[in-house]
Every structure is written in structure tokens, then in C-alpha cells.
Amino acid sequence: MRFITLAIFLVVCAAVSGQKKVLDHSDFEIWNSIENKHLSPDGAFVLYHLEKGEKDQFLKIKHTDGRPAFSYDRARDGQFTNNSKYTLFTIGAWKDSVLALKRRKVKKEDLPGDSLGIYDLEKGSLLKLPNVRSLKVPEEWSEFIAFQVEPERESKSKEKDSTDSGKSKKKEKKPGKKNGYHLVVWELETGRHDTFKFVTDYVFAKKAKRLAFTTTGETEEDDAGLYVMDLEKEKLQAIHASKKAEYKQLAFSDSGKHFGFVTDEDTTKVQVRPARLYYWNDALEAAEVVAGPGMEVTDLLPSKYEKVHFSENDSRMYFGLAKPQVLRDTSLLEEEVVNVEVWTFDEPRLYTVQEIQLKNDSISSYTAVVQLPSRKVHPLASAAYPDIALGDEGNAPFALVSTRTPYDLQRQWTGRTTRDYALVNSADGSMKEVLTGVSGPVDLSPKGAYIFGYQSTDSTWFSYNVQTDVRKDLTRGKVFYDELHDSPSLPSSYGEAGWTEKDQALILYDRYDLWKFNPDTGVGERLTEGRETRTVYRYVSLDKEQRYLDSKAEWLLTTFDEEDKSTGYALLNPRRKTVKSLLEGPYRYSTPVKAEKANTYIFTRESFEIFPDIWASEADFKDAVQISRANPQQEAYRWGTIESVQWTSLDGEQLSGMLVKPEGFDPSKKYPMIVNFYERSSDGLHRHRAPAPGRSTINYTFYASRGYLIFNPDVHYRIGYPGESAYNCVIPGVTALI
């Protein structure tokens, strides 16, 4: 048993001093958490939400110099537009009001709807649009947004039309889940907008100013249709129409020049749905079928559940081929259907697991590819190798496919996932097996030139050259696995930072340092010198679009001191292998976030006594400005302090732990002490613990406020002796404190 909480009372009464308040359980409700924080692309504004437990969120927008810009109650899901001119957010009804209506059994459709808030950051003006159901915003451009609106609610006391002479009137088409909702395309600068009726789905292109949407038609007699709108040219083009068609997986290529989607155009209730995959580009008047009934490359049809997407260079369109369905015998009556569970000893998955995963199994598919512009279709994944990874954002000549099926049965007692791997030629679908029996993470390098991974059975990182079919062990005989591993399982690796440009080198972590490995020769060189000072260095990726580490630039690192648990930031020059400290201290600093188009950063800084508020700074992290002050009420409460303590276990090991002391601690007095432990916790010395309910542990702040000491000792386990190990670590720690 590894999970133990032990309470030891050294004296009956706690010392209480000072005029500050003692924390009570009711105080948990007044503590804010910070959610959904964003830095505007131009680095000028910070957006975040404050939330008290399960209460309403409060939107806050600040300038990065700390000045307030805007705030709004009961606002959530805030985001900046790509040009940093606007903030968009959802305004909901007060949660307490909604709960009161629900207690009165008010129907869901009669509850107050959400509004959309559009805040102009330059003009300081707010526009509110009511009854907004959904919102989509372009990723890399900003002039337009699109949102669906809820239907207007009709009065229940509406009188019957006096002109109705008893003849049946044609039923009016109403917005809803089946018919779709009205879509508004809104120009942010001018407020001009267009409305399209009964829209079921819509999507923006990532880079081009284009929008696609599907509609069921303005009347019940109209065909369903799919339209592409060029927002720059103000041109609307119908690219597909069909009676009662169901559209799925709408997708532009990143450039917006290509478009794909899946349809179900059969109006019958046939069990095997005749799905079709369509493709469209500017040169086509209408979308054309590239896969579907009568065009099968295999005996499988396109899947309406797998995402359609394009390679980054627009040369391929990827989609899913639906697995064969298990068909029901519709000729049987309900009482003739036998419901029996058949359990066998050699099932790769337990029957209970099969039940839970039944839905996912029934909609899973195999990835296939359409070559562009030839539109040649062939499968990549298959029943033999169902899982797939694409290299170079879909541009790579090979895809990596894998299967765990041969090892699923033994997984039930080994507790680890093992896979076989193969490479599939993306151009013609030919396949070659490359790796067998790998237990651990495996992936393609960013450009797809190498397969790389960690084999947990021998704790070794390896590379595999796709062109030469040569595998190279990179870390055999070296310790790149968890040095403190103490459970009856295989040790995990410390992970990897990524690859340098053109797949030239793989950057791996050991316990402390970054190492650069040549994937062909296996030669590695250490880039940092953290082991000597017991400082852990880790790489920070600042650009979500960059797939590699630029070896000609400096790299931002996080730092962690294993001795005093302090953290910070540093710059590494990978060519000179020099590290420059930027910021460090007795705090826990978060991984910083950089503005997309500016050299501005935000991060949080916390300790046991300091809430993790948001700070903003330039790249040197000097003169940082505090942005948020989420919990100023903390100053009114008795809190506490925390410190690191050391002792020697009964096994002779030097151990560390944490000791929390109440505010105003007097060493001449006695206090009650709670001993609370779970494996190793001392690295969390500077973690803030806000008053909050929890499970399987205690809230340290709450008990410190009430005059308790809390001792949290690390426990190092000997495999097979968890109870004895815990005793040998915990008891000497308690006696050392006494």
C-alpha cells in the first residue's frame, strides 16, 4: 500500500495569535481561480477570467503595463482576434438565476440564452448581440466572424389566425438541431452582416478569407446545399446540392484553395450508409466525388466520423475509410433477439472494456489519402495496421502505421502497450515492416526522415533512417530514464525537446540536461551542465507553428533547482553551449507564453504564500509587471509558511520533505502536527495551495490557518516492500522533527 495519511498530535491545543481571520470551509467559496488566460497577438493586452468555484466567470482585460482596459461580469470563452483589435466573449445569464429557473421546472428552450460580446480595444466600445448559439473565428485573419443564433421565441398566448377557415396550413419550417440555425456572417469593422437560414455546419479557411457552410434549404421543399463564400470578392458559390443530404467533416486546406467533405445522400434507412467523399477547388463549378459507392478502392466506404484534412503543401487530402459494420437482423422480433454475454479467457480486451469502447469501435476508421491533383485514392492504414502518424504536416513521402493487436492479450498482465510498426508510401500505398515489439512512444521526425522512439524494455532511445532502413540505438548504456524510479514497472524516459531544422539532430533530456544526438551515428553531446549543480533544464517552445528547434537561435529554457526547489528561466546558445540565467528565485514559475507578433511574454509566479497571478515582461524578464490580483482578500487571513526539511531514513538514505508552519509560529510552544504523504512531494515546495475542497488529501492552507503543523515527507520505495519502505522513511522524519 503506497497511499497513506498519518495524523500525529503532539499537543492538544493550537496556539492562536493575531487579529487575522481563521480560514473556514465557507471561505473556500470566495477564492478566485484564473482561467483561460490569453496574450493578444500584438502583445499589448492580457485577457483572463476569474472564477469562484462553480460560480460565474468574470472577464478581465489589462494592458501589459498593468493598466485596466475592460472587465465584464458573467463572461466566458474570451479570445482576441488575430489583428488584436477586438475581444470576443460569451455573456451568459447569472448561474444562480438559471438554477432558480430550473428548480421551477422551466423548460430548457425557455431558459435565457447567451449573448456575444464584441469589445473594440481601440475605441473602448462594447457591442452585445443576443441569442448567440455558436461562434467561429478565423485563425490567421480577422475581418469577419460567423455565429449561429437561437430562434426567436414565440409568445405562448399567440392567437389563432382569424383568417384560417379550418383548412390545414402548411407547416412553417423552424430552426432547430435537425433543420439547422440561422448563420450570421459579421464584418467587425463596419457591422455589416449577412444572414443565411437553416445552417447545420460552417467553417473558415485558416489563411484565405473564405467561409463554407451547409444548409437544409429555406423551405421544406428546397434541396440541402453546401456553399463557399469568398469574403474578399463577396462571391457566394453553391458547390453541392442534394435532397435531404447530410454533410459531415467540412474542411479547407490551410491555403483555402482546396475543400473536402463527406455526404450521406440516401433517404432510406439502409444500415450501411452510402457515404461519399467530395473534393472542390476554384477550377470546379461544383464539387466532384472522389470516393464512395461504385468507386471503392477497397470494399470500404468513406467515414463521416474521421476528420477530412489536407497536407500543408496542398498535395494530398486525407480522410477515413469506415470499418465494416456489424449488421442487425431486422427480420427478428424483439423477443427473438438473444442478449447473451460470452466471456472467454483469451480475449485481447476484457469484455467490460469492450462494452465501454463499443461506440468508438463502431465509428473508427482507417486513414486513406487522395493524391492531388490526380485524385488517385488509396488506403494508408488498414486492419493489420490501424493507427497512423503523418510526417511533415502530411507532406512526407511516408506515413508511419502501427498495431498493438498482437500484444493486447499480454498487456493485461504486463501493464504496458507494445506495438509493431510499418512505413506506408503515401504515393502508392506500398508498405514495409520496420519495427516489432516496441514498448514506448514512437513517432516520425518533423520532416519524416526518421522514426524515433524510446524502448522501455531496455530504457533506450533509438532512431531509424527511413531511406537507409538503418536503426541506431542512441542512449544504450547511458541513463536517460527515470533515475528515481521505485515501482514494479519499467522506468519512463525524461522525454525529448524535439528536432533541429531539416531533421539534423534529436534533442533529448536526461535527468538534468539537454543532449544533442546525431540520428545516423548515434553520437551525442551535452548542451547544458545542469548535473553539476543539480539544475534541471527544459526547452520552451514559443511558436506553435514551428516544428523544429532553430540551432542558429538562442533557446529559452526553464530551470529547476533540486536543492532549494527554486525555478526560473535561462537562455541557451546551442552552438557555444553556454547558458545565461534570466530569472530565478524561491518561486514556482510557469512555462511562459509569447505573443504571436511581439516580443512580450506572460507567466505566473507562485509560492506557498503567493497566489499564481499573471505577470508580463519583455524577453529578458526584467521589470516584470503584475497583471492580475485575483485574491487580495488573502491578506485578511492567517496563512502560514513552508520550508524544506532533511533527515536520514532507517535505510540510510538522505531524504527531504516539507514542513508547513502556522502564521506567527513560536518555537517555544507546542503545536498539533499532521503527517500527510504520498510518494515524493518535496519538489512542490513552492506550489501555492489555495483554500479549496479536495479528495484523498488535506488542504494545507486550511489546517495551517487553524494552528496545525503539516509534515509531508518523501518516501522512497523498495520494490516489493511498500509498507516497510514507508515506515523507514516517515517515522525517522517525525522523530527528527520532534
Side-chain angles (χ1 to χ4, degrees):
M1 181 177 179
R2 300 177 67 122
F3 319 116
I4 304 170
T5 301
L6 175 66
I8 299 178
F9 292 89
L10 301 183
V11 72
V12 176
C13 297
V16 179
S17 62
Q19 301 300 313
K20 290 185 177 181
K21 294 186 286 186
V22 173
L23 280 169
D24 189 77
H25 287 118
S26 60
D27 295 318
F28 291 1
E29 299 178 1
I30 66 171
W31 241 260
N32 280 307
S33 61
I34 293 179
E35 310 290 340
N36 194 32
K37 53 183 178 287
H38 294 284
L39 180 59
S40 63
D42 66 357
F45 297 93
V46 179
L47 173 158
Y48 61 96
H49 294 268
L50 295 180
E51 184 176 19
K52 289 183 172 73
E54 298 180 357
K55 300 292 185 181
D56 299 278
Q57 290 191 358
F58 294 82
L59 171 69
K60 303 286 183 181
I61 303 176
K62 298 276 190 74
H63 296 270
T64 46
D65 61 8
R67 291 178 294 123
F70 178 72
S71 64
Y72 203 89
D73 297 345
R74 53 191 172 86
R76 65 181 189 276
D77 304 326
Q79 58 181 308
F80 293 107
T81 55
N82 185 261
N83 60 8
S84 303
K85 289 185 177 181
Y86 301 92
T87 299
L88 310 172
F89 57 94
T90 300
I91 304 169
W94 291 105
K95 285 186 177 181
D96 288 344
S97 300
V98 174
L99 289 174
L101 292 172
K102 288 181 177 180
R103 290 190 184 97
R104 288 162 45 193
K105 309 299 182 185
V106 174
K107 292 182 179 180
K108 183 178 180 180
E109 58 268 24
D110 293 327
L111 293 173
D114 291 335
S115 296
L116 171 64
I118 304 175
Y119 183 72
D120 188 319
L121 291 162
E122 293 179 347
K123 299 177 181 177
S125 60
L126 174 65
L127 175 66
K128 292 188 286 186
L129 302 172
N131 300 320
V132 173
R133 178 179 178 83
S134 68
L135 168 70
K136 291 186 180 179
V137 182
E139 265 191 77
E140 296 189 5
W141 51 280
S142 308
E143 286 81 354
F144 292 86
I145 61 173
F147 53 89
Q148 286 178 304
V149 293
E150 296 279 6
E152 293 184 10
R153 290 161 186 161
E154 295 182 0
S155 172
K156 293 181 180 179
S157 60
K158 188 176 181 181
E159 295 181 4
K160 189 176 180 181
D161 190 345
S162 60
T163 62
D164 188 355
S165 59
K167 295 181 181 180
S168 60
K169 293 181 66 178
K170 186 181 291 185
K171 190 175 181 181
E172 182 184 358
K173 187 173 183 179
K174 294 184 178 181
K177 186 175 181 181
K178 182 180 178 181
N179 289 334
Y181 297 88
H182 298 344
L183 176 71
V184 179
V185 181
W186 190 281
E187 187 174 20
L188 289 167
E189 192 70 31
T190 64
R192 290 192 307 145
H193 58 278
D194 288 321
T195 301
F196 302 96
K197 294 184 176 181
F198 303 108
V199 171
T200 53
D201 196 7
Y202 60 109
V203 61
F204 280 112
K206 182 177 181 179
K207 297 178 180 179
K209 294 175 183 177
R210 287 184 166 180
L211 170 73
F213 63 89
T214 60
T215 172
T216 58
E218 290 201 16
T219 69
E220 294 288 356
E221 287 72 30
D222 290 337
D223 287 346
L226 195 156
Y227 296 81
V228 171
M229 188 175 189
D230 188 319
L231 294 163
E232 276 192 310
K233 299 178 181 178
E234 297 185 353
K235 176 185 175 183
L236 182 66
Q237 181 177 352
I239 66 170
H240 186 270
S242 177
K243 193 68 175 177
K244 304 297 183 184
E246 179 184 12
Y247 296 96
K248 297 290 184 182
Q249 306 302 334
L250 313 185
F252 280 106
S253 64
D254 284 356
S255 67
K257 296 177 181 179
H258 305 267
F259 187 76
F261 58 97
V262 176
T263 69
D264 181 350
E265 300 170 53
D266 195 306
T267 57
T268 69
K269 295 183 179 180
V270 62
Q271 291 189 59
V272 179
R273 305 307 302 169
R276 292 176 173 85
L277 173 71
Y278 281 83
Y279 166 75
W280 176 85
N281 63 32
D282 281 331
L284 300 174
E285 286 295 323
E288 297 182 358
V289 182
V290 292
M295 305 180 65
E296 296 91 345
V297 179
T298 67
D299 59 349
L300 304 180
L301 293 170
S303 169
K304 63 182 182 180
Y305 299 104
E306 182 168 336
K307 181 181 178 182
V308 173
H309 60 106
F310 292 83
S311 59
E312 184 271 337
N313 63 9
D314 286 358
S315 66
R316 302 186 184 111
M317 177 171 68
Y318 296 96
F319 69 103
L321 289 170
K323 294 181 180 179
Q325 290 181 256
V326 178
L327 302 181
R328 293 183 178 183
D329 187 346
T330 56
S331 66
L332 294 176
L333 299 174
E334 185 177 350
E335 55 265 31
E336 294 178 302
V337 177
V338 180
N339 188 10
V340 178
E341 294 183 5
V342 180
W343 293 46
T344 63
F345 71 95
D346 57 353
E347 289 278 0
R349 288 184 296 170
L350 293 175
Y351 188 90
T352 50
V353 176
Q354 293 179 47
E355 285 188 308
I356 293 171
Q357 296 178 345
L358 178 62
K359 182 177 180 181
N360 287 338
D361 289 344
S362 66
I363 64 175
S364 60
S365 56
Y366 306 124
T367 300
V369 64
V370 180
Q371 303 293 339
L372 300 176
S374 69
R375 303 188 210 172
K376 182 181 178 181
V377 180
H378 57 78
L380 298 176
S382 63
Y385 289 91
D387 303 311
I388 188 168
L390 303 174
D392 196 17
E393 301 178 76
N395 303 334
F398 294 94
L400 181 65
V401 293
S402 65
T403 179
R404 72 180 197 187
T405 303
Y407 310 97
D408 269 354
L409 183 60
Q410 68 186 50
R411 180 170 172 262
Q412 296 183 29
W413 59 83
T414 64
R416 60 178 180 269
T417 300
T418 304
R419 290 180 175 271
D420 295 337
Y421 292 86
L423 283 170
V424 178
N425 189 306
S426 298
D428 59 22
S430 60
M431 187 185 74
K432 62 178 178 180
E433 297 178 354
V434 291
L435 300 169
T436 58
V438 180
S439 298
V442 175
D443 205 349
L444 283 169
S445 58
K447 302 301 289 184
Y450 297 90
I451 303 168
F452 71 104
Y454 175 77
Q455 174 62 285
S456 60
T457 53
D458 59 10
S459 304
T460 301
W461 283 94
F462 66 88
S463 63
Y464 183 99
N465 189 306
V466 170
Q467 294 296 328
T468 64
D469 293 326
V470 174
R471 171 175 170 159
K472 190 70 180 180
D473 287 339
L474 304 177
T475 61
R476 184 172 295 281
K478 304 179 179 71
V479 183
F480 279 75
Y481 52 87
D482 186 357
E483 296 180 20
L484 303 179
H485 184 73
D486 61 357
S487 69
S489 59
L490 298 174
S492 60
S493 73
Y494 286 102
E496 38 90 18
W499 289 75
T500 59
E501 63 271 25
K502 299 179 182 179
D503 292 352
Q504 292 178 350
L506 173 62
I507 310 300
L508 297 176
Y509 298 131
D510 70 2
R511 181 175 174 179
Y512 298 102
D513 293 303
L514 281 75
W515 290 70
K516 178 181 177 181
F517 281 89
N518 184 306
D520 290 318
T521 66
V523 174
E525 59 176 323
R526 190 161 63 130
L527 302 180
T528 56
E529 296 181 348
R531 188 169 290 273
E532 288 78 359
T533 59
R534 296 188 65 188
T535 301
V536 179
Y537 292 105
R538 293 296 182 257
Y539 172 76
V540 178
S541 177
L542 297 173
D543 185 350
K544 63 180 181 180
E545 296 294 329
Q546 187 167 305
R547 308 293 183 226
Y548 61 88
L549 284 73
D550 187 351
S551 61
K552 297 181 179 62
E554 292 184 311
W555 300 347
L556 181 64
L557 308 178
T558 60
T559 65
F560 175 75
D561 189 316
E562 282 193 348
E563 293 286 347
D564 63 12
K565 316 302 181 184
S566 62
T567 66
Y569 307 127
L571 272 183
L572 167 66
N573 185 316
R575 290 162 295 169
R576 299 179 180 178
K577 294 184 282 189
T578 56
V579 175
K580 175 186 175 183
S581 177
L582 298 175
L583 179 69
E584 60 183 346
Y587 307 100
R588 171 184 278 195
Y589 288 100
S590 67
T591 301
V593 175
K594 180 183 176 297
E596 187 178 334
K597 304 173 184 178
N599 221 17
T600 305
Y601 295 74
I602 59 170
F603 58 92
T604 63
R605 187 186 77 177
E606 66 182 286
S607 70
F608 183 79
E609 299 170 73
I610 299 174
F611 181 84
D613 276 306
I614 303 169
W615 293 70
S617 75
E618 299 300 313
D620 58 7
F621 293 96
K622 294 180 180 178
D623 303 319
V625 176
Q626 185 172 350
I627 300 299
S628 67
R629 287 174 174 79
N631 291 296
Q633 76 280 3
Q634 180 181 322
E635 297 177 2
Y637 289 85
R638 298 181 64 241
W639 205 255
T641 59
I642 195 168
E643 62 189 53
S644 179
V645 292
Q646 287 75 39
W647 71 98
T648 303
S649 75
L650 296 180
D651 296 317
E653 284 190 84
Q654 190 68 24
L655 299 179
S656 295
M658 301 180 293
L659 180 64
V660 180
K661 295 178 178 178
E663 187 172 318
F665 175 78
D666 185 346
S668 66
K669 297 180 180 180
K670 289 186 176 182
Y671 295 80
M673 183 172 76
I674 300 172
V675 181
N676 172 247
F677 65 93
Y678 174 80
E679 298 186 352
R680 290 188 295 270
S681 302
S682 62
D683 284 354
L685 180 71
H686 299 303
R687 181 167 69 85
H688 186 76
R689 295 164 174 84
R695 60 182 184 184
S696 304
T697 186
I698 61 173
N699 185 271
Y700 288 7
T701 307
F702 176 80
Y703 283 96
S705 180
R706 291 174 163 264
Y708 287 87
L709 294 166
I710 302 104
F711 176 44
N712 187 328
D714 283 355
V715 176
H716 292 194
Y717 288 96
R718 285 188 298 125
I719 294 175
Y721 300 91
E724 182 180 330
S725 299
Y727 181 92
N728 290 349
C729 295
V730 174
I731 298 303
V734 174
T735 56
L737 287 179
I738 293 174

